[in-house]
Amino acid sequence: MKQINNCDGIIFDMDGTIWDTREAVMLSWNESFAKSGIDKICTVPELEKLFGKTMENICLALFPDRDFNEIWPAFKKAMDHENEYIAANGGILYPGVKETLEILSGRFPLYIVSNCQTGYIEAFYEYYGTKGFFKKHLCYGDNNLPKADNIKLIVESDNLKSPVYIGDTALDKESSIEAGTAFIWASYGFGSAVESDYSIEAFADIPSILA
């Protein structure tokens, strides 16, 4: 396994890297759409193709024939319900996440940057008691900025010199390159065949790749 030297901070993607919430998102959105009178039933395969996109783009993809301004309020309700559902029921953590975060947090400052809505990362913290492992987080819902810009904000605000971004998709890699960080591909996640100098086959591999 090729190693990264002199890392001074780790920034994580969420979906496909830390956990899998496809089932929870599907159930919560379908519940919310039904309550709003929206004739739409999501499936896991459908959602898997959309994870990692911004919320507006997901809404447009799910409702291509609906006026965005008309459907957006109902979609926002679905996202709020999703946060509540996940805070109460969790998702599926990848093996070794909490144990590995405990190890890493003793060696590096840890961060999360995701294209999710505000409240989603907080729901992860609430259900799994993981907030103490992380120094800071940013998401698209906080400031409407894309992933690359939020990675840059973390790097600049904490004066990181050699940070790494860990994610599972081509977009994660592109965002990392644009932000000027090293990239570790989580090959077990939702992405496929993402070329990277550094990769892990399991979350628990992270400590061994950081020399």
PDB file of all heavy atoms in Angstrom, residues 106-142:
ATOM      1  N   GLY A 106      -6.663  10.906  17.405  1.00  0.00           N
ATOM      2  CA  GLY A 106      -5.523  11.072  18.290  1.00  0.00           C
ATOM      3  C   GLY A 106      -4.253  11.469  17.557  1.00  0.00           C
ATOM      4  O   GLY A 106      -3.265  11.867  18.183  1.00  0.00           O
ATOM      5  N   ARG A 107      -4.286  11.390  16.212  1.00  0.00           N
ATOM      6  CA  ARG A 107      -3.106  11.706  15.403  1.00  0.00           C
ATOM      7  C   ARG A 107      -3.286  12.937  14.528  1.00  0.00           C
ATOM      8  O   ARG A 107      -2.312  13.632  14.228  1.00  0.00           O
ATOM      9  CB  ARG A 107      -2.775  10.515  14.498  1.00  0.00           C
ATOM     10  CG  ARG A 107      -2.372   9.249  15.217  1.00  0.00           C
ATOM     11  CD  ARG A 107      -2.219   8.086  14.232  1.00  0.00           C
ATOM     12  NE  ARG A 107      -1.279   8.387  13.162  1.00  0.00           N
ATOM     13  CZ  ARG A 107      -1.113   7.631  12.066  1.00  0.00           C
ATOM     14  NH1 ARG A 107      -1.865   6.546  11.902  1.00  0.00           N
ATOM     15  NH2 ARG A 107      -0.250   7.979  11.146  1.00  0.00           N
ATOM     16  N   PHE A 108      -4.516  13.206  14.096  1.00  0.00           N
ATOM     17  CA  PHE A 108      -4.772  14.274  13.135  1.00  0.00           C
ATOM     18  C   PHE A 108      -6.064  15.019  13.487  1.00  0.00           C
ATOM     19  O   PHE A 108      -6.964  14.428  14.073  1.00  0.00           O
ATOM     20  CB  PHE A 108      -4.970  13.694  11.714  1.00  0.00           C
ATOM     21  CG  PHE A 108      -3.914  12.753  11.256  1.00  0.00           C
ATOM     22  CD1 PHE A 108      -4.110  11.379  11.358  1.00  0.00           C
ATOM     23  CD2 PHE A 108      -2.730  13.218  10.702  1.00  0.00           C
ATOM     24  CE1 PHE A 108      -3.155  10.486  10.916  1.00  0.00           C
ATOM     25  CE2 PHE A 108      -1.767  12.337  10.255  1.00  0.00           C
ATOM     26  CZ  PHE A 108      -1.970  10.970  10.364  1.00  0.00           C
ATOM     27  N   PRO A 109      -6.176  16.292  13.089  1.00  0.00           N
ATOM     28  CA  PRO A 109      -7.494  16.931  13.126  1.00  0.00           C
ATOM     29  C   PRO A 109      -8.348  16.345  12.005  1.00  0.00           C
ATOM     30  O   PRO A 109      -7.882  16.144  10.883  1.00  0.00           O
ATOM     31  CB  PRO A 109      -7.183  18.412  12.879  1.00  0.00           C
ATOM     32  CG  PRO A 109      -5.872  18.418  12.150  1.00  0.00           C
ATOM     33  CD  PRO A 109      -5.116  17.217  12.644  1.00  0.00           C
ATOM     34  N   LEU A 110      -9.605  16.060  12.309  1.00  0.00           N
ATOM     35  CA  LEU A 110     -10.514  15.430  11.350  1.00  0.00           C
ATOM     36  C   LEU A 110     -11.641  16.397  10.983  1.00  0.00           C
ATOM     37  O   LEU A 110     -12.128  17.151  11.831  1.00  0.00           O
ATOM     38  CB  LEU A 110     -11.117  14.150  11.933  1.00  0.00           C
ATOM     39  CG  LEU A 110     -10.143  13.090  12.464  1.00  0.00           C
ATOM     40  CD1 LEU A 110     -10.930  11.856  12.934  1.00  0.00           C
ATOM     41  CD2 LEU A 110      -9.114  12.701  11.419  1.00  0.00           C
ATOM     42  N   TYR A 111     -12.069  16.324   9.727  1.00  0.00           N
ATOM     43  CA  TYR A 111     -13.105  17.212   9.202  1.00  0.00           C
ATOM     44  C   TYR A 111     -14.035  16.420   8.283  1.00  0.00           C
ATOM     45  O   TYR A 111     -13.679  15.348   7.809  1.00  0.00           O
ATOM     46  CB  TYR A 111     -12.483  18.351   8.388  1.00  0.00           C
ATOM     47  CG  TYR A 111     -11.367  19.088   9.079  1.00  0.00           C
ATOM     48  CD1 TYR A 111     -10.040  18.646   8.982  1.00  0.00           C
ATOM     49  CD2 TYR A 111     -11.620  20.238   9.819  1.00  0.00           C
ATOM     50  CE1 TYR A 111      -9.005  19.319   9.619  1.00  0.00           C
ATOM     51  CE2 TYR A 111     -10.589  20.930  10.454  1.00  0.00           C
ATOM     52  CZ  TYR A 111      -9.280  20.458  10.348  1.00  0.00           C
ATOM     53  OH  TYR A 111      -8.253  21.132  10.975  1.00  0.00           O
ATOM     54  N   ILE A 112     -15.205  16.990   8.018  1.00  0.00           N
ATOM     55  CA  ILE A 112     -16.117  16.437   7.023  1.00  0.00           C
ATOM     56  C   ILE A 112     -16.505  17.546   6.054  1.00  0.00           C
ATOM     57  O   ILE A 112     -16.834  18.665   6.482  1.00  0.00           O
ATOM     58  CB  ILE A 112     -17.392  15.856   7.665  1.00  0.00           C
ATOM     59  CG1 ILE A 112     -17.067  14.654   8.552  1.00  0.00           C
ATOM     60  CG2 ILE A 112     -18.394  15.447   6.587  1.00  0.00           C
ATOM     61  CD1 ILE A 112     -18.270  14.110   9.320  1.00  0.00           C
ATOM     62  N   VAL A 113     -16.472  17.244   4.763  1.00  0.00           N
ATOM     63  CA  VAL A 113     -17.001  18.142   3.733  1.00  0.00           C
ATOM     64  C   VAL A 113     -17.874  17.314   2.811  1.00  0.00           C
ATOM     65  O   VAL A 113     -17.419  16.336   2.222  1.00  0.00           O
ATOM     66  CB  VAL A 113     -15.883  18.836   2.931  1.00  0.00           C
ATOM     67  CG1 VAL A 113     -16.478  19.546   1.716  1.00  0.00           C
ATOM     68  CG2 VAL A 113     -15.133  19.835   3.795  1.00  0.00           C
ATOM     69  N   SER A 114     -19.135  17.704   2.687  1.00  0.00           N
ATOM     70  CA  SER A 114     -20.104  16.944   1.899  1.00  0.00           C
ATOM     71  C   SER A 114     -21.012  17.891   1.121  1.00  0.00           C
ATOM     72  O   SER A 114     -21.162  19.058   1.489  1.00  0.00           O
ATOM     73  CB  SER A 114     -20.943  16.062   2.834  1.00  0.00           C
ATOM     74  OG  SER A 114     -22.023  15.472   2.160  1.00  0.00           O
ATOM     75  N   ASN A 115     -21.624  17.394   0.058  1.00  0.00           N
ATOM     76  CA  ASN A 115     -22.595  18.175  -0.703  1.00  0.00           C
ATOM     77  C   ASN A 115     -24.011  18.040  -0.150  1.00  0.00           C
ATOM     78  O   ASN A 115     -24.978  18.331  -0.846  1.00  0.00           O
ATOM     79  CB  ASN A 115     -22.589  17.738  -2.177  1.00  0.00           C
ATOM     80  CG  ASN A 115     -21.567  18.501  -2.995  1.00  0.00           C
ATOM     81  OD1 ASN A 115     -21.066  19.535  -2.576  1.00  0.00           O
ATOM     82  ND2 ASN A 115     -21.238  17.982  -4.167  1.00  0.00           N
ATOM     83  N   CYS A 116     -24.142  17.612   1.087  1.00  0.00           N
ATOM     84  CA  CYS A 116     -25.456  17.345   1.679  1.00  0.00           C
ATOM     85  C   CYS A 116     -26.117  18.628   2.179  1.00  0.00           C
ATOM     86  O   CYS A 116     -25.543  19.719   2.150  1.00  0.00           O
ATOM     87  CB  CYS A 116     -25.304  16.355   2.836  1.00  0.00           C
ATOM     88  SG  CYS A 116     -24.275  16.986   4.186  1.00  0.00           S
ATOM     89  N   GLN A 117     -27.329  18.465   2.697  1.00  0.00           N
ATOM     90  CA  GLN A 117     -28.071  19.566   3.301  1.00  0.00           C
ATOM     91  C   GLN A 117     -27.627  19.781   4.742  1.00  0.00           C
ATOM     92  O   GLN A 117     -27.083  18.873   5.383  1.00  0.00           O
ATOM     93  CB  GLN A 117     -29.581  19.288   3.266  1.00  0.00           C
ATOM     94  CG  GLN A 117     -30.058  18.184   4.221  1.00  0.00           C
ATOM     95  CD  GLN A 117     -29.998  16.801   3.611  1.00  0.00           C
ATOM     96  OE1 GLN A 117     -29.347  16.584   2.589  1.00  0.00           O
ATOM     97  NE2 GLN A 117     -30.697  15.854   4.227  1.00  0.00           N
ATOM     98  N   THR A 118     -27.856  20.986   5.241  1.00  0.00           N
ATOM     99  CA  THR A 118     -27.595  21.259   6.655  1.00  0.00           C
ATOM    100  C   THR A 118     -28.430  20.325   7.526  1.00  0.00           C
ATOM    101  O   THR A 118     -29.611  20.113   7.268  1.00  0.00           O
ATOM    102  CB  THR A 118     -27.947  22.723   6.976  1.00  0.00           C
ATOM    103  OG1 THR A 118     -27.149  23.591   6.165  1.00  0.00           O
ATOM    104  CG2 THR A 118     -27.702  23.029   8.447  1.00  0.00           C
ATOM    105  N   GLY A 119     -27.815  19.769   8.547  1.00  0.00           N
ATOM    106  CA  GLY A 119     -28.495  18.872   9.469  1.00  0.00           C
ATOM    107  C   GLY A 119     -28.174  17.410   9.246  1.00  0.00           C
ATOM    108  O   GLY A 119     -28.352  16.589  10.158  1.00  0.00           O
ATOM    109  N   TYR A 120     -27.682  17.074   8.053  1.00  0.00           N
ATOM    110  CA  TYR A 120     -27.376  15.675   7.731  1.00  0.00           C
ATOM    111  C   TYR A 120     -26.158  15.182   8.500  1.00  0.00           C
ATOM    112  O   TYR A 120     -26.186  14.100   9.103  1.00  0.00           O
ATOM    113  CB  TYR A 120     -27.143  15.578   6.231  1.00  0.00           C
ATOM    114  CG  TYR A 120     -26.909  14.187   5.680  1.00  0.00           C
ATOM    115  CD1 TYR A 120     -27.956  13.282   5.548  1.00  0.00           C
ATOM    116  CD2 TYR A 120     -25.640  13.797   5.245  1.00  0.00           C
ATOM    117  CE1 TYR A 120     -27.753  12.024   5.007  1.00  0.00           C
ATOM    118  CE2 TYR A 120     -25.429  12.540   4.704  1.00  0.00           C
ATOM    119  CZ  TYR A 120     -26.478  11.662   4.583  1.00  0.00           C
ATOM    120  OH  TYR A 120     -26.272  10.408   4.045  1.00  0.00           O
ATOM    121  N   ILE A 121     -25.089  15.967   8.499  1.00  0.00           N
ATOM    122  CA  ILE A 121     -23.886  15.593   9.251  1.00  0.00           C
ATOM    123  C   ILE A 121     -24.188  15.589  10.742  1.00  0.00           C
ATOM    124  O   ILE A 121     -23.730  14.709  11.487  1.00  0.00           O
ATOM    125  CB  ILE A 121     -22.724  16.548   8.914  1.00  0.00           C
ATOM    126  CG1 ILE A 121     -22.360  16.433   7.424  1.00  0.00           C
ATOM    127  CG2 ILE A 121     -21.496  16.241   9.784  1.00  0.00           C
ATOM    128  CD1 ILE A 121     -21.373  17.477   6.940  1.00  0.00           C
ATOM    129  N   GLU A 122     -24.981  16.565  11.184  1.00  0.00           N
ATOM    130  CA  GLU A 122     -25.361  16.620  12.596  1.00  0.00           C
ATOM    131  C   GLU A 122     -26.167  15.385  13.005  1.00  0.00           C
ATOM    132  O   GLU A 122     -26.041  14.910  14.150  1.00  0.00           O
ATOM    133  CB  GLU A 122     -26.178  17.888  12.870  1.00  0.00           C
ATOM    134  CG  GLU A 122     -25.382  19.177  12.769  1.00  0.00           C
ATOM    135  CD  GLU A 122     -25.310  19.757  11.363  1.00  0.00           C
ATOM    136  OE1 GLU A 122     -25.601  19.012  10.395  1.00  0.00           O
ATOM    137  OE2 GLU A 122     -24.956  20.939  11.221  1.00  0.00           O
ATOM    138  N   ALA A 123     -26.979  14.853  12.082  1.00  0.00           N
ATOM    139  CA  ALA A 123     -27.729  13.630  12.369  1.00  0.00           C
ATOM    140  C   ALA A 123     -26.783  12.447  12.560  1.00  0.00           C
ATOM    141  O   ALA A 123     -27.018  11.585  13.428  1.00  0.00           O
ATOM    142  CB  ALA A 123     -28.717  13.339  11.239  1.00  0.00           C
ATOM    143  N   PHE A 124     -25.730  12.406  11.766  1.00  0.00           N
ATOM    144  CA  PHE A 124     -24.687  11.383  11.937  1.00  0.00           C
ATOM    145  C   PHE A 124     -24.041  11.503  13.306  1.00  0.00           C
ATOM    146  O   PHE A 124     -23.876  10.507  14.023  1.00  0.00           O
ATOM    147  CB  PHE A 124     -23.654  11.551  10.823  1.00  0.00           C
ATOM    148  CG  PHE A 124     -22.332  10.887  11.068  1.00  0.00           C
ATOM    149  CD1 PHE A 124     -22.220   9.506  11.138  1.00  0.00           C
ATOM    150  CD2 PHE A 124     -21.182  11.656  11.212  1.00  0.00           C
ATOM    151  CE1 PHE A 124     -20.986   8.902  11.357  1.00  0.00           C
ATOM    152  CE2 PHE A 124     -19.943  11.058  11.422  1.00  0.00           C
ATOM    153  CZ  PHE A 124     -19.848   9.677  11.501  1.00  0.00           C
ATOM    154  N   TYR A 125     -23.697  12.717  13.693  1.00  0.00           N
ATOM    155  CA  TYR A 125     -23.112  12.936  15.017  1.00  0.00           C
ATOM    156  C   TYR A 125     -24.061  12.464  16.122  1.00  0.00           C
ATOM    157  O   TYR A 125     -23.648  11.794  17.079  1.00  0.00           O
ATOM    158  CB  TYR A 125     -22.840  14.426  15.241  1.00  0.00           C
ATOM    159  CG  TYR A 125     -21.758  15.062  14.418  1.00  0.00           C
ATOM    160  CD1 TYR A 125     -21.737  16.450  14.229  1.00  0.00           C
ATOM    161  CD2 TYR A 125     -20.733  14.317  13.857  1.00  0.00           C
ATOM    162  CE1 TYR A 125     -20.744  17.070  13.501  1.00  0.00           C
ATOM    163  CE2 TYR A 125     -19.732  14.933  13.108  1.00  0.00           C
ATOM    164  CZ  TYR A 125     -19.740  16.317  12.937  1.00  0.00           C
ATOM    165  OH  TYR A 125     -18.765  16.935  12.214  1.00  0.00           O
ATOM    166  N   GLU A 126     -25.331  12.841  15.988  1.00  0.00           N
ATOM    167  CA  GLU A 126     -26.299  12.573  17.050  1.00  0.00           C
ATOM    168  C   GLU A 126     -26.523  11.082  17.250  1.00  0.00           C
ATOM    169  O   GLU A 126     -26.521  10.592  18.389  1.00  0.00           O
ATOM    170  CB  GLU A 126     -27.626  13.260  16.725  1.00  0.00           C
ATOM    171  CG  GLU A 126     -28.679  13.081  17.803  1.00  0.00           C
ATOM    172  CD  GLU A 126     -29.942  13.887  17.539  1.00  0.00           C
ATOM    173  OE1 GLU A 126     -29.891  14.810  16.697  1.00  0.00           O
ATOM    174  OE2 GLU A 126     -30.976  13.600  18.185  1.00  0.00           O
ATOM    175  N   TYR A 127     -26.709  10.351  16.153  1.00  0.00           N
ATOM    176  CA  TYR A 127     -27.039   8.938  16.302  1.00  0.00           C
ATOM    177  C   TYR A 127     -25.846   8.123  16.778  1.00  0.00           C
ATOM    178  O   TYR A 127     -25.991   7.218  17.605  1.00  0.00           O
ATOM    179  CB  TYR A 127     -27.564   8.367  14.980  1.00  0.00           C
ATOM    180  CG  TYR A 127     -28.092   6.956  15.147  1.00  0.00           C
ATOM    181  CD1 TYR A 127     -29.376   6.733  15.638  1.00  0.00           C
ATOM    182  CD2 TYR A 127     -27.304   5.845  14.846  1.00  0.00           C
ATOM    183  CE1 TYR A 127     -29.860   5.454  15.830  1.00  0.00           C
ATOM    184  CE2 TYR A 127     -27.780   4.557  15.025  1.00  0.00           C
ATOM    185  CZ  TYR A 127     -29.057   4.368  15.516  1.00  0.00           C
ATOM    186  OH  TYR A 127     -29.526   3.092  15.709  1.00  0.00           O
ATOM    187  N   TYR A 128     -24.656   8.436  16.273  1.00  0.00           N
ATOM    188  CA  TYR A 128     -23.490   7.602  16.579  1.00  0.00           C
ATOM    189  C   TYR A 128     -22.558   8.194  17.632  1.00  0.00           C
ATOM    190  O   TYR A 128     -21.561   7.557  17.988  1.00  0.00           O
ATOM    191  CB  TYR A 128     -22.700   7.325  15.301  1.00  0.00           C
ATOM    192  CG  TYR A 128     -23.444   6.411  14.351  1.00  0.00           C
ATOM    193  CD1 TYR A 128     -24.054   6.915  13.212  1.00  0.00           C
ATOM    194  CD2 TYR A 128     -23.564   5.050  14.612  1.00  0.00           C
ATOM    195  CE1 TYR A 128     -24.762   6.084  12.355  1.00  0.00           C
ATOM    196  CE2 TYR A 128     -24.271   4.221  13.763  1.00  0.00           C
ATOM    197  CZ  TYR A 128     -24.861   4.739  12.631  1.00  0.00           C
ATOM    198  OH  TYR A 128     -25.559   3.917  11.790  1.00  0.00           O
ATOM    199  N   GLY A 129     -22.844   9.387  18.131  1.00  0.00           N
ATOM    200  CA  GLY A 129     -21.996  10.001  19.145  1.00  0.00           C
ATOM    201  C   GLY A 129     -20.594  10.284  18.654  1.00  0.00           C
ATOM    202  O   GLY A 129     -19.621  10.108  19.395  1.00  0.00           O
ATOM    203  N   THR A 130     -20.471  10.749  17.413  1.00  0.00           N
ATOM    204  CA  THR A 130     -19.161  10.915  16.780  1.00  0.00           C
ATOM    205  C   THR A 130     -18.679  12.362  16.710  1.00  0.00           C
ATOM    206  O   THR A 130     -17.580  12.617  16.201  1.00  0.00           O
ATOM    207  CB  THR A 130     -19.193  10.355  15.350  1.00  0.00           C
ATOM    208  OG1 THR A 130     -20.355  10.879  14.682  1.00  0.00           O
ATOM    209  CG2 THR A 130     -19.279   8.835  15.365  1.00  0.00           C
ATOM    210  N   LYS A 131     -19.450  13.309  17.204  1.00  0.00           N
ATOM    211  CA  LYS A 131     -19.071  14.712  17.044  1.00  0.00           C
ATOM    212  C   LYS A 131     -17.697  15.010  17.628  1.00  0.00           C
ATOM    213  O   LYS A 131     -16.921  15.799  17.076  1.00  0.00           O
ATOM    214  CB  LYS A 131     -20.121  15.622  17.696  1.00  0.00           C
ATOM    215  CG  LYS A 131     -19.839  17.107  17.477  1.00  0.00           C
ATOM    216  CD  LYS A 131     -20.949  17.986  18.031  1.00  0.00           C
ATOM    217  CE  LYS A 131     -20.655  19.455  17.747  1.00  0.00           C
ATOM    218  NZ  LYS A 131     -21.736  20.336  18.272  1.00  0.00           N
ATOM    219  N   GLY A 132     -17.370  14.376  18.730  1.00  0.00           N
ATOM    220  CA  GLY A 132     -16.099  14.649  19.392  1.00  0.00           C
ATOM    221  C   GLY A 132     -14.870  14.262  18.596  1.00  0.00           C
ATOM    222  O   GLY A 132     -13.757  14.739  18.889  1.00  0.00           O
ATOM    223  N   PHE A 133     -15.039  13.428  17.573  1.00  0.00           N
ATOM    224  CA  PHE A 133     -13.900  13.033  16.750  1.00  0.00           C
ATOM    225  C   PHE A 133     -13.504  14.117  15.747  1.00  0.00           C
ATOM    226  O   PHE A 133     -12.381  14.110  15.244  1.00  0.00           O
ATOM    227  CB  PHE A 133     -14.210  11.752  15.970  1.00  0.00           C
ATOM    228  CG  PHE A 133     -14.407  10.528  16.818  1.00  0.00           C
ATOM    229  CD1 PHE A 133     -15.480   9.683  16.594  1.00  0.00           C
ATOM    230  CD2 PHE A 133     -13.526  10.226  17.843  1.00  0.00           C
ATOM    231  CE1 PHE A 133     -15.667   8.547  17.361  1.00  0.00           C
ATOM    232  CE2 PHE A 133     -13.700   9.092  18.624  1.00  0.00           C
ATOM    233  CZ  PHE A 133     -14.772   8.247  18.382  1.00  0.00           C
ATOM    234  N   PHE A 134     -14.444  15.023  15.449  1.00  0.00           N
ATOM    235  CA  PHE A 134     -14.232  15.968  14.363  1.00  0.00           C
ATOM    236  C   PHE A 134     -14.056  17.393  14.870  1.00  0.00           C
ATOM    237  O   PHE A 134     -14.756  17.846  15.772  1.00  0.00           O
ATOM    238  CB  PHE A 134     -15.425  15.922  13.391  1.00  0.00           C
ATOM    239  CG  PHE A 134     -15.559  14.600  12.697  1.00  0.00           C
ATOM    240  CD1 PHE A 134     -16.383  13.608  13.212  1.00  0.00           C
ATOM    241  CD2 PHE A 134     -14.841  14.334  11.542  1.00  0.00           C
ATOM    242  CE1 PHE A 134     -16.507  12.380  12.578  1.00  0.00           C
ATOM    243  CE2 PHE A 134     -14.948  13.105  10.904  1.00  0.00           C
ATOM    244  CZ  PHE A 134     -15.774  12.124  11.425  1.00  0.00           C
ATOM    245  N   LYS A 135     -13.134  18.095  14.247  1.00  0.00           N
ATOM    246  CA  LYS A 135     -12.874  19.486  14.614  1.00  0.00           C
ATOM    247  C   LYS A 135     -13.870  20.429  13.964  1.00  0.00           C
ATOM    248  O   LYS A 135     -14.256  21.450  14.551  1.00  0.00           O
ATOM    249  CB  LYS A 135     -11.456  19.874  14.199  1.00  0.00           C
ATOM    250  CG  LYS A 135     -11.033  21.262  14.655  1.00  0.00           C
ATOM    251  CD  LYS A 135      -9.578  21.537  14.337  1.00  0.00           C
ATOM    252  CE  LYS A 135      -9.189  22.934  14.821  1.00  0.00           C
ATOM    253  NZ  LYS A 135      -7.764  23.242  14.480  1.00  0.00           N
ATOM    254  N   LYS A 136     -14.302  20.095  12.748  1.00  0.00           N
ATOM    255  CA  LYS A 136     -15.144  21.021  11.993  1.00  0.00           C
ATOM    256  C   LYS A 136     -15.797  20.281  10.838  1.00  0.00           C
ATOM    257  O   LYS A 136     -15.294  19.251  10.391  1.00  0.00           O
ATOM    258  CB  LYS A 136     -14.267  22.163  11.459  1.00  0.00           C
ATOM    259  CG  LYS A 136     -14.976  23.369  10.899  1.00  0.00           C
ATOM    260  CD  LYS A 136     -13.941  24.411  10.441  1.00  0.00           C
ATOM    261  CE  LYS A 136     -13.106  24.928  11.595  1.00  0.00           C
ATOM    262  NZ  LYS A 136     -12.166  25.988  11.149  1.00  0.00           N
ATOM    263  N   HIS A 137     -16.901  20.827  10.330  1.00  0.00           N
ATOM    264  CA  HIS A 137     -17.493  20.288   9.110  1.00  0.00           C
ATOM    265  C   HIS A 137     -18.119  21.417   8.302  1.00  0.00           C
ATOM    266  O   HIS A 137     -18.466  22.472   8.843  1.00  0.00           O
ATOM    267  CB  HIS A 137     -18.546  19.213   9.417  1.00  0.00           C
ATOM    268  CG  HIS A 137     -19.799  19.746  10.045  1.00  0.00           C
ATOM    269  ND1 HIS A 137     -19.978  19.787  11.416  1.00  0.00           N
ATOM    270  CD2 HIS A 137     -20.935  20.267   9.501  1.00  0.00           C
ATOM    271  CE1 HIS A 137     -21.156  20.296  11.689  1.00  0.00           C
ATOM    272  NE2 HIS A 137     -21.766  20.611  10.545  1.00  0.00           N
ATOM    273  N   LEU A 138     -18.248  21.190   7.013  1.00  0.00           N
ATOM    274  CA  LEU A 138     -18.921  22.116   6.114  1.00  0.00           C
ATOM    275  C   LEU A 138     -19.698  21.317   5.083  1.00  0.00           C
ATOM    276  O   LEU A 138     -19.246  20.255   4.660  1.00  0.00           O
ATOM    277  CB  LEU A 138     -17.917  23.024   5.385  1.00  0.00           C
ATOM    278  CG  LEU A 138     -17.492  24.334   6.052  1.00  0.00           C
ATOM    279  CD1 LEU A 138     -16.445  25.032   5.192  1.00  0.00           C
ATOM    280  CD2 LEU A 138     -18.676  25.246   6.293  1.00  0.00           C
ATOM    281  N   CYS A 139     -20.836  21.846   4.663  1.00  0.00           N
ATOM    282  CA  CYS A 139     -21.579  21.173   3.611  1.00  0.00           C
ATOM    283  C   CYS A 139     -22.216  22.207   2.691  1.00  0.00           C
ATOM    284  O   CYS A 139     -22.290  23.397   3.020  1.00  0.00           O
ATOM    285  CB  CYS A 139     -22.647  20.250   4.196  1.00  0.00           C
ATOM    286  SG  CYS A 139     -24.038  21.097   4.993  1.00  0.00           S
ATOM    287  N   TYR A 140     -22.669  21.738   1.557  1.00  0.00           N
ATOM    288  CA  TYR A 140     -23.297  22.618   0.570  1.00  0.00           C
ATOM    289  C   TYR A 140     -24.478  23.374   1.168  1.00  0.00           C
ATOM    290  O   TYR A 140     -24.687  24.558   0.886  1.00  0.00           O
ATOM    291  CB  TYR A 140     -23.757  21.783  -0.629  1.00  0.00           C
ATOM    292  CG  TYR A 140     -24.494  22.571  -1.679  1.00  0.00           C
ATOM    293  CD1 TYR A 140     -23.799  23.300  -2.637  1.00  0.00           C
ATOM    294  CD2 TYR A 140     -25.888  22.587  -1.707  1.00  0.00           C
ATOM    295  CE1 TYR A 140     -24.480  24.039  -3.596  1.00  0.00           C
ATOM    296  CE2 TYR A 140     -26.574  23.308  -2.664  1.00  0.00           C
ATOM    297  CZ  TYR A 140     -25.868  24.043  -3.614  1.00  0.00           C
ATOM    298  OH  TYR A 140     -26.542  24.765  -4.555  1.00  0.00           O
ATOM    299  N   GLY A 141     -25.240  22.705   2.011  1.00  0.00           N
ATOM    300  CA  GLY A 141     -26.399  23.347   2.613  1.00  0.00           C
ATOM    301  C   GLY A 141     -26.049  24.501   3.535  1.00  0.00           C
ATOM    302  O   GLY A 141     -26.887  25.366   3.796  1.00  0.00           O
ATOM    303  N   ASP A 142     -24.814  24.541   4.037  1.00  0.00           N
ATOM    304  CA  ASP A 142     -24.403  25.626   4.937  1.00  0.00           C
ATOM    305  C   ASP A 142     -24.181  26.938   4.202  1.00  0.00           C
ATOM    306  O   ASP A 142     -24.440  28.016   4.749  1.00  0.00           O
ATOM    307  CB  ASP A 142     -23.109  25.248   5.671  1.00  0.00           C
ATOM    308  CG  ASP A 142     -23.294  24.113   6.652  1.00  0.00           C
ATOM    309  OD1 ASP A 142     -24.422  23.917   7.138  1.00  0.00           O
ATOM    310  OD2 ASP A 142     -22.300  23.416   6.933  1.00  0.00           O
TER     311      ASP A 142
END
